[in-house]
Amino acid sequence: MLLSTRDLTKTFPGTRALDGVSFDLKAGEVHALLGENGAGKSTLIKCLTGAYHRDSGDILFEGQPIFPQSTLEAQAIGIGTVYQEVNLLPNLTVAENLTLGHQPRRFGLIRPRAMHAQAEAMLAGYGLEVDVRRPLGYYSVAVQQIVAIARAVHLSGRVLILDEPTASLDAREVRMLFDVIRDLRARGLGIIFISHFLDQVYEISDRLTILRNGRHIATRAAADVDRMQLITLMLGHELQQDAATRQRPAVQAEGAIKFAGTGRRGRIAPFDLTVHKGEVVGMAGLLGSGRTESAEVMFGAAPTDSGTVTDSDGPVDLRNPRAAIAAGFAFAPEDRKTDGIIADLSVRENIILALQARRGWARPIPQAEQVRMADDYIARLDIRTPDAEKPVGLLSGGNQQKVILARWLATNPRFLILDEPTRGIDVGAHAEILRLIEDVVAEGMSILVISSELDELVAVSHRVIVVRDRRHVSELTGDDVTTDTIVRAIASADDMPGAGA
Amino acid sequence: MSIRALPLYATIAIFLLAYLICYIQFPAMLSTRVIGNLLTDNAYLGIVAVGMTVVIISGGIDLSVGSVIAFSGVFIAVVLRETDMHPMLAFALLLAITTAFGAAMGGMIHLLAMPPFIVTLAGMFLARGAAYMLSIDSVPIVDPFYEMMQRAYYLMPGRGRLTLLGMIMVAAVVIGMIVLHRTRFGTNVYALGGGEATARLMGVAVGRTTVAVYAFSGFMAGLAGIVFSVYTSAGYPLATVGVELSAIAAVVIGGTLLTGGNGYMFGTLIGVLTMGLIQTYIVFDGSLSSWWTKIVIGALLLMFILLQKGLLRLRVSP
Amino acid sequence: QTIGFSQIGSESGWRAAETTVTMQEAERRGIDLRFSDAQQRQENQIAAIKSFIAQGVDAILVAPVVATGWDSVLEEAAEAEIPVVLLDRMVDSAPELYLTAVGSDLVHEGRVAGEWLVEAVDGAECRVVELQGTTGSSPAIDRKNGFEQGIADADNIEIVRSQTGDFTRTRGKEVMESFLQAENGGADICALYAHNDDMAVGAIQAIKEAGLNPGEDILVVSIDAVPDIFQALAAGEANATVELTPNMAGPAFDALEAYFADGTMPEKFIQTESKLYTQSDDPAGEYEARKDLGY
Amino acid sequence: MSGVLRRVAPQLLTLAAVIALVSIYFPMFYEVVYVNDRLVGIPIDVVKRGAPVALLAIGMTLVIATRGIDLSVGAVMAICGASAAWAIDQGFGMWAALGIAGASGLICGLWNGLLVAVFGIQPIVATLILMVAGRGVAQLITGGTILTFDHDGFSYLGSGTLLGVPVPAVIWVLTGIGFGLLVRRTALGLLVESIGINLRASTLTGINSRVLLIAVYMGSGFCAALAGIIATADIRGADANNAGLWLELDAILAVVIGGNSLLGGRFSILASLLGAMIIQTINTGILLAGFPSEFNLVIKAVLVIIILVLQSPRLLPQLAVLMPRRQSSPQKTKTEEGT
Ligand SMILES: Nc1ncnc2c1ncn2[C@@H]1O[C@H](COP(=O)(O)OP(=O)(O)OP(=O)(O)O)[C@@H](O)[C@H]1O
Ligand SMILES: Nc1ncnc2c1ncn2[C@@H]1O[C@H](COP(=O)(O)OP(=O)(O)OP(=O)(O)O)[C@@H](O)[C@H]1O
Ligand SMILES: [Mg+2]
Ligand SMILES: [Mg+2]
């Protein structure tokens, strides 16, 4: 065994994140770690790499017990890790991020040129066009993720750990990553791979370990479990399969919101878009194509500098998010850590925050009402938290996403913009969120969904807008909404006929 | 690289512009005398600002430096008065003390997870208090070695003096540049300023770096104390009150963000010279009452910062 | 004539008055006075003097914040042949580095205050509390020493408490309150000695608020002779003050004039009078005479 | 209520410890007597003398909760004191003086708030500007002198008593209660904490963070104005140079001793006020103890360091474990969670 744990236990106040977990990683295998949000996957790897100190249990590296006190020690024995959220430093250059801690030196001084060459070499093979001298923060989340992977791969002499590395990557980049992983596996590394995309799990993994509520449930060869069994192992029950049957209520004609020539210089070309009441509009495109920018413009987070927005009552004021919220808009952003959650506030406070902001400071929501709302949404969205008073920053990623959804649902908006709402969310919650979208749409809410998962878009959208190079290049409706057509629209060099750009 | 350096360019441009304006009003401002004075008079500030830059880039702040300078002067003066130690030995002893003092503050910040602002504020009280306990009176330093250091200057054409003290400051800046931009420690400092948790996950030895950062600042404050004691050939427990704020202002004018993770050592030198320029301009003008002096310093400070922000916005937006 | 004046700051009313008087004197004599405020920092003063030299002024007045550390800048001025006159505080540099110094003897001021107290209590037991100036400043040190010399021979007088009041009214009042608390509500205190009038004025308020009569229950003696203390003297709430005149510039300009005219070297130390004022010295009149001097 | 008590327990314990320490040197500490219609005693002195720092700490708590800091409060005190004294001197009367002083404080706060919220200048730097220039402004008003006045109504605010209690103490307690109610009985407290933790996310949630930030700095300016009024009324004169000198540091210290994080977010005004009283007890204790002045700073520094170390986030949990009252074993938490 390359790396194994015996009876690993880790407790946080109010939560037992790991409960006697035993786990083995062999050399030359890709071992997927699976489980619902909050199952303890990230906690397990953080204990393995010394980022957390375990309460009890053993960690063995090649049969020898190790006691990593810091990630530095883990790196020293050849464990490279990509942690769940992009964990590099945006203020350092790409090269500095890649080489931090092992910069080439002469007489104790860093040699910048050699450092840049080394960084470029580390990035070769990922098909990235970046200037390693630029600050990392200049690049998109996807680029940052790849840089993080490149760094971890470089550091991984023996073990590579990837905690949801693909959440913000598109298909092409995932393919490239998998090529790298296969290559490393062939060279005898042990690789731990965490993902909520079961397709990817089946594509790359040799074995699977399933955690639930901090406990080890099963370890199987990937070939021995089928998808349904796997999901049942993860959830502890079968997945209700009603989301697959697509029966959407027809969109309503009145109450549409019309964007005409809306745009912002340098961010997104002016576009026209009409969102009907009770309609789900999907938005597809490659990373960096301008989907988030579209959403920000539509929510007033990046105010428009052209065009008009109207509804049946006349012009809609979208000067800033506050105005947009007053007009009944809502926006669950892509980067929940920096744009979404208020980490130190409790789940309850995070849920009521948008509603409270809209009511104004002078009319506080009564405590009892707050508790009722929080409990209600915790139950409805199945948010895994010991209680409503836990700081939201301590929840697992998927549950944080649900809290943000709850925050916006609490304001009962008429137009809800969801930017990558299911990123990092487990299969169970994924299905729940899709069901939720159907529910609120049935009540007449309009929704714009931005997602890199085309299956998901196809499953929920009435209509899909395809974005490329910061322009809305085409619009697919009705039976045209299939993964195939979307992929083609994204890839095609010229605009499809009937494009609404 | 160039994007990160924009604030630095803006700072340099504003400084040159300001100098030009001063020159037009008072041609004597461009004499070697004034330039020499600018370096010498701000030597202690420049040195302490080098340490402060490192601290601020690491995401911290060091309020103790002004008191440490005062302590250093008193310590050296008392040691030289009471013993017949050679000044160089006293310097070494002092630098060991101030470095250890800085390291102790860094250790507290790291081990007890206490905010730097507060730890160094306590350090500021402690160092000043220690200076009082050594002597409440100002203690003159009479020592041939000191006289030698004071007289060590190169007379530039135009009777300007390029002094040893000024050169020590320039050397400190150069060392600071090398440490910050060309060592692993320097990159770790930037990493720490970018985000401590992330830096830790990336394998930066956060504790060691924090201690080293404040030790470096303590060392520089000690060095500034030595320079200051040469400058005034005395130790005075009431000296350099509020210098920490001047140093912070100089670092900020130099384009370093107080939030940490961004900035350049060279910018700090420009910031220090800018502060010196403001001071010189006010003296040359000579018509400001005590209160207008304060208001004008504040207003010029504000102007520099707003200009810098404006320039950056202009450059970034298109 | 252009003369540079490097002032310490404006930390007290007395110093503000000194600045005003200096400016008035300069104007009266048609001197172009370049004023620089050092905000209480010696390094600023040194830099200012150097800038004056670079500017090429005809003479420099300095009110040095501290005695030490002026050698090299004074040498620089001497090299540039610019005469320097010290105002109200001394430096410990070689006398040939400056033309003259105008000032009062701080130790002497303290001694005058002490001697007044010895006389006033006339042999009776007296427990004195002392409000010191800013710790480490030369007036605080010298006025303390002087007072102690003044009462050295009187065994009946004893300083029982001594704390810094930072030369300010607020702190003077606060510290006096704690003295009163600590000394049996003030019943055990016979006299107060304050290093400046501002602290005395604050302390007088504290004494009144504690239900005692300043000037009677507790004798009050202080130094500076600012207008407000004369009001207190007139009201019988203070007993004595030692004058420190803010007109240091007048004698300084006189000396400079003589020097420029025919190279007359003035005395190295021009001492101003440290006059003692008590309740019997027409305090109301003195107040009127001073109140517009910019104190 | 028990939540509040648990929050301020460390501060209460510290205060008790400091009082105990002082009373070793000064056993009469607890003696409070009623003479001449006023309470007299050291605790009374502490609550009276602590008024400026307590008032500043109230505003500072809010500013720090937004992840800012206000270095200008000392200078703002001087400005407001000076304008009040000027108004009295001009014979505008008490209420006009109070109005002018309060308005000056609000304007100073507005200035800081604009620099921070609109121009995006970092709080330390933005308020440093007013810290430097503010004293100049104050001296401009007083003309560099100590502007004295004789007005019994106004002096009452500094040295009067209400039912035996010094008026400054009444003012800070009422202000503390007022601000406490304002932030906790409305949603302001939550919104302030929110922008302090994550400004960007809060703005996206629809909080008017710009206006809120400005309001918070204005609140701090207002508290500084009250402190300035008290300081001026106390000595019946405005001392532009020394009023509130370095008090910003004591105020920040009070907020931190109150267990509030300098990184913004959760805050407790009550705890900050206790912090201010801890500091004032130390200050008064030093005066009473009768050490030579040159020891003052070292004693204060050492006490503050000890307090901060004992309250530090790393040590506090450990100390809690040492106390036998509630060992939080994992098992127990588990069952609690289950029920
Ligand atoms: N620092 C922390 N403090 C307190 N609780 C924590 C902390 N980190 C994680 N937890 C809790 O531990 C449990 C496991 O979290 P973990 O992040 O390991 O889940 P995960 O399996 O990685 O979930 P996801 O798929 O959403 O990433 C969760 O209940 C979470 O709330
Ligand atoms: N692979 C890449 N190489 C270089 N730059 C990129 C790459 N991907 C994105 N960028 C740049 O990153 C910036 C922001 O990307 P961001 O992900 O925010 O765009 P987006 O339209 O929101 O993407 P998404 O469609 O994933 O939401 C853009 O300026 C884009 O040009
Ligand atoms: Mg995880
Ligand atoms: Mg996006």
Side-chain angles (χ1 to χ4, degrees):
Chain A
M1 283 306 139
L2 184 54
L3 183 66
S4 41
T5 69
R6 293 281 161 267
D7 287 332
L8 208 60
T9 298
K10 173 76 189 170
T11 309
F12 294 113
T15 319
R16 174 156 287 201
L18 293 178
D19 194 357
V21 172
S22 299
F23 167 82
D24 290 306
L25 176 69
K26 292 184 208 157
E29 75 163 346
V30 175
H31 196 140
L33 202 51
L34 299 166
E36 294 176 281
N37 293 126
K41 305 179 293 290
S42 301
T43 307
L44 176 60
I45 62 153
K46 282 188 176 166
C47 287
L48 280 176
T49 62
Y52 285 164
H53 298 267
R54 59 192 188 244
D55 296 344
S56 64
D58 298 314
I59 302 174
L60 307 169
F61 184 72
E62 298 185 318
Q64 297 300 315
I66 56 168
F67 304 90
Q69 293 297 310
S70 74
T71 53
L72 202 56
E73 288 171 44
Q75 282 179 15
I77 58 173
I79 303 179
T81 314
V82 174
Y83 294 95
Q84 186 162 6
E85 268 85 31
V86 176
N87 267 306
L88 293 182
L89 294 157
N91 61 318
L92 297 188
T93 64
V94 174
E96 285 167 341
N97 267 296
L98 284 167
T99 58
L100 187 72
H102 52 268
Q103 298 97 329
R105 291 184 295 183
R106 182 187 291 145
F107 310 126
L109 297 185
I110 295 173
R111 297 155 55 208
R113 209 160 299 153
M115 177 175 80
H116 293 138
Q118 183 183 334
E120 271 157 13
M122 283 166 74
L123 281 181
Y126 294 93
L128 220 52
E129 277 175 46
V130 296
D131 179 355
V132 295
R133 288 173 181 76
R134 290 210 159 179
L136 183 73
Y138 178 77
Y139 293 104
S140 68
V141 177
V143 173
Q144 298 188 19
Q145 185 70 36
I146 294 173
V147 172
I149 293 169
R151 174 180 163 85
V153 167
H154 181 85
L155 289 172
S156 59
R158 314 298 309 276
V159 177
L160 174 64
I161 302 176
L162 301 167
D163 192 351
E164 294 196 32
T166 57
S168 49
L169 300 188
D170 65 22
R172 193 177 56 97
E173 289 154 335
V174 170
R175 232 176 301 122
M176 231 131 40
L177 172 64
F178 281 6
D179 287 344
V180 172
I181 293 180
R182 287 197 188 94
D183 182 43
L184 294 175
R185 171 169 62 188
R187 291 190 352 223
L189 266 74
I191 294 152
I192 300 175
F193 179 71
I194 299 177
S195 177
H196 291 295
F197 299 110
L198 297 188
D199 291 342
Q200 295 177 0
V201 169
Y202 275 110
E203 185 184 341
I204 194 81
S205 323
D206 302 307
R207 288 200 299 159
L208 319 169
T209 287
I210 295 119
L211 300 181
R212 195 190 321 136
N213 287 333
R215 259 175 288 237
H216 178 263
I217 298 299
T219 299
R220 305 277 168 84
D224 294 350
V225 268
D226 69 22
R227 203 177 255 271
M228 287 322 299
Q229 284 174 309
L230 179 59
I231 291 175
T232 310
L233 282 171
M234 282 163 63
L235 301 185
H237 58 80
E238 287 184 18
L239 187 67
Q240 286 119 8
Q241 277 291 18
D242 55 16
T245 57
R246 297 180 42 180
Q247 26 144 286
R248 282 188 216 100
V251 304
Q252 297 160 30
E254 85 283 17
I257 300 168
K258 290 197 183 71
F259 297 86
T262 314
R264 184 173 163 83
R265 238 179 314 120
R267 299 288 206 98
I268 185 79
F271 60 87
D272 299 331
L273 178 65
T274 304
V275 184
H276 297 281
K277 203 163 177 216
E279 186 184 29
V280 180
V281 178
M283 196 173 268
L286 293 178
L287 290 171
S289 57
R291 295 169 300 173
T292 298
E293 277 84 350
S294 301
E296 283 176 353
V297 162
M298 290 160 94
F299 187 65
T304 56
D305 53 15
S306 68
T308 55
V309 186
T310 49
D311 62 8
S312 50
D313 299 334
V316 180
D317 175 12
L318 293 183
R319 256 175 312 138
N320 53 35
R322 219 154 32 86
I325 292 167
F329 287 31
F331 174 47
E334 176 180 22
D335 187 346
R336 62 175 166 248
K337 200 161 143 193
T338 62
D339 302 347
I341 59 165
I342 317 287
D344 294 346
L345 292 189
S346 68
V347 173
R348 167 178 59 82
E349 287 163 322
N350 267 280
I351 290 177
I352 60 114
L353 196 59
L355 186 60
Q356 180 64 68
R358 196 172 67 188
R359 285 167 65 121
W361 61 271
R363 294 198 304 134
I365 304 171
Q367 187 74 15
E369 174 73 9
Q370 293 187 13
V371 172
R372 196 194 54 69
M373 270 169 64
D375 289 345
D376 182 32
Y377 281 106
I378 288 172
R380 244 173 89 190
L381 306 190
D382 191 23
I383 299 170
R384 303 290 165 81
T385 172
D387 60 67
E389 300 307 318
K390 183 158 175 155
V392 79
L394 300 183
L395 297 192
S396 75
N399 285 308
Q400 293 178 359
Q401 182 69 28
K402 292 193 211 164
V403 170
I404 292 172
L405 279 178
R407 172 193 295 171
W408 290 115
L409 292 181
T411 66
N412 192 20
R414 59 174 165 150
F415 181 39
L416 175 59
I417 304 169
L418 301 172
D419 195 354
E420 303 283 2
T422 56
R423 177 173 290 173
I425 284 192
D426 68 44
V427 268
H430 195 276
E432 282 163 27
I433 286 177
L434 295 196
R435 200 162 43 235
L436 201 80
I437 291 178
E438 312 238 301
D439 285 354
V440 295
V441 166
E443 288 164 19
M445 200 180 289
S446 316
I447 293 189
L448 178 78
V449 181
I450 298 172
S451 177
S452 302
E453 281 181 73
L454 300 185
D455 292 340
E456 177 180 306
L457 275 187
V458 170
V460 298
S461 312
H462 293 94
R463 212 158 27 119
V464 172
I465 312 286
V466 177
V467 187
R468 190 187 330 124
D469 293 337
R470 303 176 176 277
R471 303 162 58 81
H472 290 199
V473 291
S474 68
E475 181 173 320
L476 308 165
T477 41
D479 292 340
D480 275 348
V481 181
T482 66
T483 27
D484 258 11
T485 49
I486 298 176
V487 169
R488 249 181 295 135
I490 292 176
S492 78
D494 18 65
D495 297 353
M496 303 251 308
Chain B
M1 217 36 155
S2 60
I3 288 196
R4 274 209 300 185
L6 270 183
L8 178 63
Y9 299 148
T11 310
I12 297 175
I14 296 171
F15 174 73
L16 292 178
L17 182 74
Y19 213 120
L20 185 72
I21 292 172
C22 292
Y23 168 68
I24 291 171
Q25 204 175 344
F26 304 106
M29 290 275 288
L30 203 61
S31 62
T32 54
R33 233 186 174 126
V34 172
I35 293 170
N37 286 352
L38 222 44
L39 288 176
T40 310
D41 296 340
N42 297 294
Y44 76 99
L45 184 63
I47 294 169
V48 95
V50 166
M52 188 69 84
T53 309
V54 173
V55 173
I56 289 181
I57 288 178
S58 83
I61 199 157
D62 188 350
L63 297 180
S64 71
V65 291
S67 302
V68 170
I69 295 177
F71 169 82
S72 305
V74 177
F75 177 84
I76 294 173
V78 169
V79 165
L80 294 185
R81 187 183 64 187
E82 304 296 326
T83 68
D84 39 56
M85 201 184 270
H86 187 269
M88 283 308 249
L89 196 59
F91 292 169
L93 195 62
L94 171 83
L95 288 176
I97 292 175
T98 60
T99 308
F101 181 70
M105 290 195 297
M108 272 180 80
I109 291 166
H110 173 67
L111 291 178
L112 301 174
M114 274 161 47
F117 192 99
I118 286 302
V119 173
T120 57
L121 181 61
M124 163 179 163
F125 291 152
L126 198 63
R128 177 91 46 198
Y132 279 142
M133 289 178 63
L134 284 178
S135 161
I136 55 165
D137 207 348
S138 90
V139 184
I141 301 175
V142 243
D143 190 285
F145 185 75
Y146 257 76
E147 268 172 42
M148 191 274 285
M149 289 213 290
Q150 268 179 342
R151 279 177 210 199
Y153 57 81
Y154 164 74
L155 202 60
M156 294 184 284
R159 304 199 61 75
R161 299 177 181 195
L162 200 57
T163 58
L164 175 69
L165 301 186
M167 292 292 86
I168 293 180
M169 164 172 67
V170 173
V173 173
V174 170
I175 291 172
M177 284 167 75
I178 292 173
V179 166
L180 199 52
H181 304 309
R182 294 295 294 277
T183 65
R184 283 189 186 171
F185 166 72
T187 315
N188 287 348
V189 169
Y190 279 95
L192 212 56
E196 189 191 318
T198 309
R200 179 174 288 130
L201 284 182
M202 285 178 78
V204 173
V206 171
R208 216 178 323 147
T209 309
T210 308
V211 171
V213 162
Y214 287 89
F216 183 76
S217 177
F219 176 86
M220 282 297 168
L223 188 62
I226 293 172
V227 164
F228 194 77
S229 76
V230 174
Y231 185 58
T232 62
S233 50
Y236 181 40
L238 270 180
T240 58
V241 172
V243 158
E244 53 283 342
L245 295 177
S246 308
I248 293 169
V251 172
V252 169
I253 289 181
T256 298
L257 291 184
L258 275 175
T259 35
N262 277 293
Y264 283 91
M265 190 57 82
F266 188 72
T268 296
L269 176 64
I270 302 293
V272 169
L273 293 179
T274 305
M275 302 278 286
L277 191 69
I278 293 179
Q279 197 83 34
T280 312
Y281 176 81
I282 287 174
V283 177
F284 266 73
D285 180 70
S287 66
L288 295 180
S289 64
S290 301
W291 33 103
W292 277 110
T293 304
K294 291 181 181 127
I295 297 174
V296 167
I297 290 179
L300 289 177
L301 219 82
L302 176 67
M303 215 181 64
F304 273 98
I305 290 164
L306 285 182
L307 256 177
Q308 202 178 52
K309 281 214 169 275
L311 273 190
L312 286 185
R313 200 161 294 171
L314 273 186
R315 292 260 211 118
V316 168
S317 59
Chain C
Q1 264 183 351
T2 311
I3 294 184
F5 174 31
S6 170
Q7 175 62 291
I8 295 177
S10 54
E11 73 280 4
S12 65
W14 183 87
R15 199 155 288 288
E18 185 189 38
T19 304
T20 316
V21 172
T22 306
M23 287 178 169
Q24 285 169 356
E25 288 285 328
E27 204 173 300
R28 203 159 59 78
R29 290 160 208 251
I31 294 170
D32 175 12
L33 191 75
R34 295 284 161 86
F35 175 73
S36 159
D37 179 296
Q39 325 268 342
Q40 273 85 24
R41 284 170 42 184
Q42 182 184 22
E43 54 273 28
N44 290 349
Q45 284 200 296
I46 296 179
I49 296 171
K50 286 178 153 187
S51 290
F52 288 145
I53 298 172
Q55 248 177 312
V57 296
D58 298 307
I60 296 174
L61 304 186
V62 199
V65 63
V66 55
T68 51
W70 300 97
D71 290 0
S72 65
V73 67
L74 290 181
E75 274 165 30
E76 210 174 312
E79 243 165 69
E81 295 178 353
I82 299 174
V84 176
V85 179
L86 309 175
L87 296 190
D88 80 82
R89 291 191 191 177
M90 286 299 296
V91 301
D92 59 9
S93 303
E96 57 275 14
L97 288 177
Y98 53 87
L99 185 69
T100 177
V102 182
S104 89
D105 184 341
L106 295 167
V107 179
H108 175 66
E109 290 167 2
R111 200 179 309 122
V112 171
E115 283 162 0
W116 172 84
L117 185 65
V118 173
E119 215 165 288
V121 295
D122 195 24
E125 277 302 305
C126 188
R127 291 163 58 87
V128 181
V129 294
E130 179 183 28
L131 286 171
Q132 299 175 34
T134 306
T135 311
S137 67
S138 59
I141 297 167
D142 291 347
R143 287 175 181 172
K144 183 171 175 54
N145 284 340
F147 185 79
E148 280 164 4
Q149 289 171 19
I151 60 170
D153 295 331
D155 294 336
N156 54 328
I157 299 177
E158 180 199 6
I159 299 177
V160 289
R161 280 185 181 264
S162 178
Q163 252 295 341
T164 175
D166 287 331
F167 282 133
T168 70
R169 277 188 201 199
T170 317
R171 292 277 296 155
K173 184 170 181 186
E174 178 179 354
V175 176
M176 190 66 206
E177 278 173 5
S178 74
F179 284 168
L180 293 167
Q181 288 285 357
E183 294 295 329
N184 194 11
D188 294 350
I189 302 175
C190 129
L192 162 73
Y193 167 52
H195 288 187
N196 79 351
D197 289 340
D198 282 336
M199 290 190 291
V201 170
I204 287 170
Q205 289 175 14
I207 297 171
K208 281 202 279 191
E209 280 166 25
L212 299 173
N213 291 326
E216 288 167 24
D217 299 333
I218 297 179
L219 302 177
V220 178
V221 54
S222 54
I223 298 175
D224 272 0
V226 304
D228 285 347
I229 201 75
F230 284 106
Q231 278 190 313
L233 282 168
E237 291 168 350
N239 302 82
T241 184
V242 181
E243 178 176 38
L244 175 63
T245 172
N247 186 8
M248 303 278 174
F253 287 137
D254 291 342
L256 278 172
E257 255 167 43
Y259 174 74
F260 284 132
D262 49 15
T264 317
M265 291 303 280
E267 300 249 335
K268 269 296 156 194
F269 183 58
I270 305 172
Q271 186 169 350
T272 58
E273 195 186 355
S274 299
K275 188 163 184 271
L276 181 80
Y277 287 90
T278 61
Q279 291 174 355
S280 53
D281 292 307
D282 182 24
E286 292 291 339
Y287 172 75
E288 286 304 320
R290 280 157 213 263
K291 70 177 198 267
D292 292 325
L293 279 182
Y295 277 103
Chain D
M1 207 60 210
S2 75
V4 174
L5 258 184
R6 194 167 330 136
R7 168 68 182 78
V8 300
Q11 283 71 40
L12 285 174
L13 283 176
T14 310
L15 186 57
V18 172
I19 289 175
L21 187 67
V22 173
S23 53
I24 291 175
Y25 283 95
F26 210 82
M28 294 122 77
F29 188 94
Y30 308 100
E31 260 174 47
V32 175
V33 290
Y34 193 81
V35 287
N36 299 345
D37 287 344
R38 60 169 68 213
L39 290 166
V40 177
I42 295 161
I44 303 299
D45 264 14
V46 170
V47 292
K48 178 186 170 192
R49 282 291 151 209
V53 172
L55 282 166
L56 297 182
I58 293 171
M60 191 68 80
T61 307
L62 294 177
V63 171
I64 285 178
T66 66
R67 210 164 227 239
I69 202 153
D70 190 349
L71 294 182
S72 72
V73 288
V76 175
M77 268 179 78
I79 292 178
C80 298
S83 40
W86 173 82
I88 295 275
D89 194 49
Q90 297 287 309
F92 292 166
M94 161 122 173
W95 295 108
L98 291 181
I100 289 173
S104 313
L106 289 173
I107 290 171
C108 292
L110 178 67
W111 163 268
N112 284 331
L114 285 176
L115 288 187
V116 171
V118 178
F119 290 95
I121 300 178
Q122 300 172 67
I124 292 196
V125 183
T127 56
L128 179 67
I129 290 168
L130 190 57
M131 178 186 182
V132 174
R135 284 201 185 275
V137 174
Q139 284 180 306
L140 199 64
I141 298 170
T142 63
T145 63
I146 299 182
L147 195 59
T148 50
F149 55 82
D150 219 359
H151 188 287
D152 287 337
F154 196 76
S155 329
Y156 175 76
L157 296 175
S159 42
T161 56
L162 188 72
L163 303 176
V165 182
V167 174
V170 175
I171 292 178
W172 74 254
V173 169
L174 287 182
T175 310
I177 293 174
F179 269 81
L181 290 180
L182 182 66
V183 297
R184 292 305 175 199
R185 283 294 152 87
T186 69
L188 270 182
L190 176 67
L191 300 183
V192 165
E193 285 172 348
S194 176
I195 62 172
I197 297 164
N198 191 337
L199 182 68
R200 201 178 137 73
S202 302
T203 311
L204 282 177
T205 307
I207 297 174
N208 197 345
S209 42
R210 201 169 267 190
V211 169
L212 198 55
L213 266 179
I214 294 176
V216 164
Y217 280 91
M218 288 176 76
S220 175
F222 182 73
C223 290
L226 290 180
I229 289 170
I230 289 179
T232 303
D234 184 33
I235 59 165
R236 294 157 199 250
D239 185 349
N241 233 300
N242 300 302
L245 197 60
W246 301 119
L247 278 199
E248 54 278 344
L249 296 183
D250 272 0
I252 294 167
L253 215 50
V255 173
V256 173
I257 289 180
N260 297 295
S261 164
L262 281 176
L263 295 179
R266 298 291 194 192
F267 68 89
S268 161
I269 290 179
L270 176 61
S272 294
L273 289 174
L274 287 172
M277 287 307 111
I278 291 169
I279 291 179
Q280 189 56 43
T281 310
I282 293 176
N283 286 343
T284 305
I286 289 173
L287 290 183
L288 288 172
F291 295 120
S293 316
E294 54 265 35
F295 290 91
N296 292 3
L297 263 180
V298 171
I299 297 170
K300 183 166 169 182
V302 169
L303 283 179
V304 164
I305 290 172
I306 292 174
I307 292 172
L308 290 173
V309 166
L310 289 180
Q311 289 190 2
S312 79
R314 288 277 159 83
L315 273 185
L316 206 52
Q318 255 113 318
L319 290 181
V321 170
L322 287 182
M323 282 186 233
R325 62 183 165 92
R326 226 183 62 152
Q327 278 251 330
S328 56
S329 73
Q331 255 70 31
K332 188 155 179 207
T333 18
K334 192 79 190 173
T335 46
E336 275 173 359
E337 190 192 328
T339 53

